[in-house]
Amino acid sequence: MLLLGEHGAGNVEFVQTSIMHLAILKRSGKAGEHLLLPDRIVYVTLTRMREDILREMALSFNPDLYTQLKEEIVFYDLSELYFDASIVPPDWYGEGSAIERLQKKQRRESGDILAELARVLGGCPDNSLIVMDSLTGIAPSLTGSPRWHAFIAFLRGLQQVAKRRNITIYLPLTSGILDRSRELEIADCVDATLLFRWEETGAQRRQRVMHFERFRGVMPRLEDKDLVKFAVKISAAEGFEVQNIRVVV
């Protein structure tokens, strides 16, 4: 599922709210015939620390959720591999002495972020929800290089393995950073594309909206019921909330 959003329009909060509610439901044991919960919630981060993500969610919504989220979410932090390929000094993101950080960086510099992602995702159990935070950290540096084709092949491989193993994968991407053609190429690799954007409502006010651009196997039913466009808001009590439903015209 590609979550393509304008800056601040709600795709990040959509992910956080999904995780928050699923964690609560898993701890409550309310899975049943009409409620299928993931066996595991996995959060793969490329640039942010685990504690930073958990703290932001707890402060944004409910501090009491911190313990639940910490216990229910499995984190994989690939930030060291990500930053090793950059000019960022090792002591900004690594731990240990300067010599130890330099030695670890030299060992990892030959590593490939896509290969490591494939290894991590391949080790996740079936029936999982996986958040890959985020494509915005990977895709821009690959445009215009041979690695872009490897990136697209990686996404198509994700699509295949998700179907075989009943895995849902959230792929957040900030819109406007890549060329539109690149965004469409990424969208062609997924089964669902949710768009999050700002809409002018007059009187110098803006409204967040979400609508489905693509949802294989579901889109005809959504259009039959006019469940296509949603006005949304973000609140501390509920997180990402749908306010009303509107037909796209």
Side-chain angles (χ1 to χ4, degrees), residues 46-47 81-87 111-114 117 134-152 173-174 176-179 182 186:
L46 297 176
T47 60
L81 182 63
Y82 177 87
F83 286 120
D84 280 345
S86 71
I87 63 170
D112 181 273
I113 191 69
L114 295 180
L117 278 170
S134 70
L135 292 188
T136 311
I138 305 175
S141 63
L142 301 177
T143 58
S145 74
R147 296 294 296 157
W148 178 261
H149 299 292
F151 174 63
I152 294 299
L173 175 65
T174 302
I177 294 177
L178 299 176
D179 293 340
R182 299 293 190 186
I186 292 174

Side-chain angles (χ1 to χ4, degrees), residues 5-239:
E6 295 179 359
H7 187 67
N11 61 339
V12 173
E13 288 78 11
F14 178 90
V15 170
Q16 293 176 341
T17 304
S18 296
I19 291 175
M20 178 177 68
H21 287 305
L22 286 172
I24 293 172
L25 289 171
K26 282 176 66 64
R27 286 183 66 86
S28 67
K30 290 184 178 180
E33 181 181 356
H34 303 293
L35 182 62
L36 180 63
L37 298 178
D39 291 343
R40 183 176 295 177
I41 302 173
V42 178
Y43 199 110
V44 182
T45 173
L46 297 176
T47 60
R48 302 182 62 194
M49 296 183 299
R50 169 181 177 270
E51 287 301 318
D52 182 33
I53 295 167
L54 289 171
R55 191 180 302 111
E56 178 184 332
M57 293 175 65
L59 291 175
S60 297
F61 305 124
N62 185 343
D64 296 334
L65 290 173
Y66 181 86
T67 301
Q68 295 185 41
L69 295 173
K70 182 170 63 174
E71 295 176 354
E72 293 294 340
I73 304 173
V74 177
F75 281 87
Y76 290 96
D77 185 352
L78 304 185
S79 59
E80 289 193 357
L81 182 63
Y82 177 87
F83 286 120
D84 280 345
S86 71
I87 63 170
V88 177
D91 58 341
W92 285 16
Y93 57 88
E95 297 181 352
S97 67
I99 295 178
E100 290 173 337
R101 289 193 297 266
L102 182 59
Q103 289 174 338
K104 286 195 295 183
K105 179 170 182 175
Q106 289 173 340
R107 289 195 299 267
R108 291 191 303 259
E109 277 181 337
S110 59
D112 181 273
I113 191 69
L114 295 180
E116 185 64 14
L117 278 170
R119 186 192 68 80
V120 168
L121 298 179
C124 296
D126 295 354
N127 309 309
S128 293
L129 169 67
I130 301 174
V131 177
M132 200 166 80
D133 187 13
S134 70
L135 292 188
T136 311
I138 305 175
S141 63
L142 301 177
T143 58
S145 74
R147 296 294 296 157
W148 178 261
H149 299 292
F151 174 63
I152 294 299
F154 170 78
L155 293 181
R156 294 194 186 280
L158 275 185
Q159 185 185 40
Q160 292 295 317
V161 75
K163 294 180 187 302
R164 284 200 291 266
R165 299 177 55 196
N166 194 34
I167 291 174
T168 299
I169 306 175
Y170 286 166
L171 302 172
L173 175 65
T174 302
S175 61
I177 294 177
L178 299 176
D179 293 340
R180 180 56 178 163
S181 61
R182 299 293 190 186
E183 290 182 354
L184 290 175
E185 197 170 357
I186 292 174
D188 192 52
C189 299
V190 300
D191 291 318
T193 301
L194 278 65
L195 299 182
F196 302 79
R197 63 184 182 84
W198 290 96
E199 185 178 84
E200 300 296 334
T201 60
Q204 298 182 340
R205 298 190 63 183
R206 296 196 301 169
Q207 168 71 57
R208 291 183 178 91
V209 296
M210 177 190 77
H211 63 87
F212 296 100
E213 186 173 71
R214 179 186 193 183
F215 208 143
R216 288 181 175 175
V218 180
M219 205 69 187
R221 294 180 175 85
L222 293 175
E223 293 195 350
D224 285 344
K225 298 180 180 295
D226 295 336
L227 301 177
V228 179
K229 187 174 184 179
F230 304 83
V232 302
K233 70 175 183 177
I234 299 169
S235 70
E238 298 294 336

